[in-house]
């Protein structure tokens, strides 16, 4: 299963980092995010990070934004349980072991 009620963010971000044309410094990120107008509601989301640029190809989109602006807009906290980064090798291992694109290490009770 690659799409669920949350959309295809985990699959899209996972495919991007595992594709042969991804850059070597690309990271896969799973994090709890908050929509700007719904700040009390957070949900797990997947996207990619290359240096200081976020690439979010979820749900057919193609958003590129500076890391600081993206993290501020979506209230992303880089804390254990609510944020996890993976290299391509780490993502491949997690995918192989779990059989899905995630989220793998987010604590649903801390989001």
């Amino acid at each position: 299963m690659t799409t669920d009620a949350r959309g295809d963010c985990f699959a899209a971000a996972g495919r991007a980092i595992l594709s042969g044309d991804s850059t070597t410094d690309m990271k896969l990120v799973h994090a709890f995010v908050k929509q700007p107008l719904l700040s009390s509601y957070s949900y797990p989301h997947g996207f990619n990070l290359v240096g200081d640029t976020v690439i979010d190809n979820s749900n057919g989109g193609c958003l590129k934004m500076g890391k600081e602006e993206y993290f501020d807009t979506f209230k992303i906290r880089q804390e254990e349980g609510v944020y996890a980064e993976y290299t391509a090798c780490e993502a491949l291992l997690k995918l192989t072991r779990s059989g899905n694109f995630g989220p793998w290490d987010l604590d649903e009770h801390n989001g």
Side-chain angles (χ1 to χ4, degrees):
M1 183 175 192
T2 58
T3 305
D4 61 21
R6 297 175 288 208
D8 71 347
C9 63
F10 296 107
R15 284 190 194 100
I17 196 164
L18 297 176
S19 70
D21 59 348
S22 65
T23 61
T24 57
D25 64 340
M26 179 181 278
K27 302 280 189 192
L28 170 64
V29 178
H30 292 169
F32 278 97
V33 299
K34 293 182 180 186
Q35 287 293 337
L37 299 177
L38 303 170
S39 62
S40 64
Y41 175 71
S42 64
Y43 58 92
H45 185 56
F47 56 92
N48 300 102
L49 187 60
V50 179
D52 288 330
T53 302
V54 169
I55 301 169
D56 187 340
N57 293 324
S58 60
N59 303 315
C62 186
L63 175 67
K64 289 186 180 182
M65 183 183 288
K67 177 183 175 181
E68 187 175 324
E69 181 182 4
Y70 189 90
F71 281 43
D72 185 54
T73 299
F74 295 101
K75 307 299 185 232
I76 297 171
R77 298 176 296 142
Q78 290 181 268
E79 299 171 5
E80 187 175 342
V82 296
Y83 181 91
E85 277 187 18
Y86 308 94
T87 65
C89 289
E90 292 167 337
L92 181 58
L93 185 60
K94 292 279 189 179
L95 172 62
T96 302
R97 288 184 175 165
S98 69
N100 64 60
F101 285 103
W104 300 308
D105 299 309
L106 298 184
D107 182 354
E108 297 282 339
H109 302 289
N110 281 332

